Amino acid sequence: SKIKKIFCVPELSYTTFGLMSCNNDDDSGNSNEEKILGTWKLEKIVYQEEGEKDEVYFPDNCEKKSTTTYNADKTYKTDEYSENSNTNTCENEIYGGKYSIENGYLIDHEEEAKLKIQEISSNKMLLVGEEDYNSDGKIDYKIIATFIK
């Protein structure tokens, strides 16, 4: 899928995010390791490129079926749905692997990807991928993905 090619990480290659929960949970006592547990859906992705207008991507009806579940044993499973433009069908792929959280980053050991956890609560998570394409020490491209439970 388009998202997978850009992100090269299963957690961000798929899903839906619906409406945010209205309850105001106090998560102050829970660690990132505890908050990430459970099943997440992609709500939106914001692409930011130096000198360009931000682009916002929302999953289509097929991609909205996708989920990633993070387990306490540091494994994850992604149930990804994507539209096959040739057949106009919604196709499913299931994959997974191991993850860890280190110094505020979500590390996907299967895809060798590292995403900053910008925000996480019991029902919302923002993951950020950054790229310095020209190695000048400045971030040229940033992707911010919002996930919800």
Side-chain angles (χ1 to χ4, degrees):
S1 76
K2 174 183 172 187
I3 301 169
K4 184 185 275 186
K5 289 177 188 163
I6 293 173
F7 256 108
C8 297
V9 68
E11 293 85 10
L12 300 179
S13 63
Y14 62 101
T15 10
T16 287
F17 275 30
L19 302 173
M20 288 181 40
S21 173
C22 295
N23 46 347
N24 187 7
D25 297 331
D26 179 12
D27 295 315
S28 57
N30 293 341
S31 68
N32 287 352
E33 285 83 2
E34 293 170 312
K35 291 176 195 170
I36 200 170
L37 299 178
T39 301
W40 296 88
K41 291 181 159 228
L42 179 68
E43 182 178 49
K44 68 178 178 180
I45 296 178
V46 178
Y47 299 94
Q48 298 177 335
E49 190 168 358
E50 185 68 32
E52 301 288 329
K53 185 177 182 214
D54 288 1
E55 290 183 41
V56 181
Y57 170 81
F58 294 95
D60 62 30
N61 286 335
C62 177
E63 293 165 330
K64 285 181 180 181
K65 297 177 184 178
S66 302
T67 60
T68 293
T69 301
Y70 294 95
N71 303 303
D73 66 358
K74 302 294 187 203
T75 62
Y76 70 88
K77 182 184 102 172
T78 295
D79 195 357
E80 179 180 351
Y81 289 84
S82 58
E83 187 80 27
N84 181 325
S85 56
N86 295 327
T87 60
N88 275 344
T89 56
C90 186
E91 298 182 350
N92 178 241
E93 178 184 359
I94 298 173
Y95 52 92
K98 296 190 178 300
Y99 77 92
S100 61
I101 295 177
E102 301 169 19
N103 301 317
Y105 285 86
L106 173 62
I107 314 288
D108 178 338
H109 296 282
E110 307 310 306
E111 300 288 331
E112 299 179 0
K114 180 177 173 180
L115 299 169
K116 182 179 181 187
I117 302 172
Q118 183 171 304
E119 175 186 326
I120 190 168
S121 70
S122 61
N123 58 9
K124 183 178 179 182
M125 175 170 59
L126 268 65
L127 298 178
V128 179
E130 298 176 328
E131 190 71 45
D132 176 8
Y133 289 127
N134 55 10
S135 302
D136 65 357
K138 294 192 306 189
I139 300 302
D140 301 306
Y141 195 73
K142 186 186 283 191
I143 300 172
I144 305 165
T146 304
F147 293 88
I148 59 170
K149 282 189 185 176

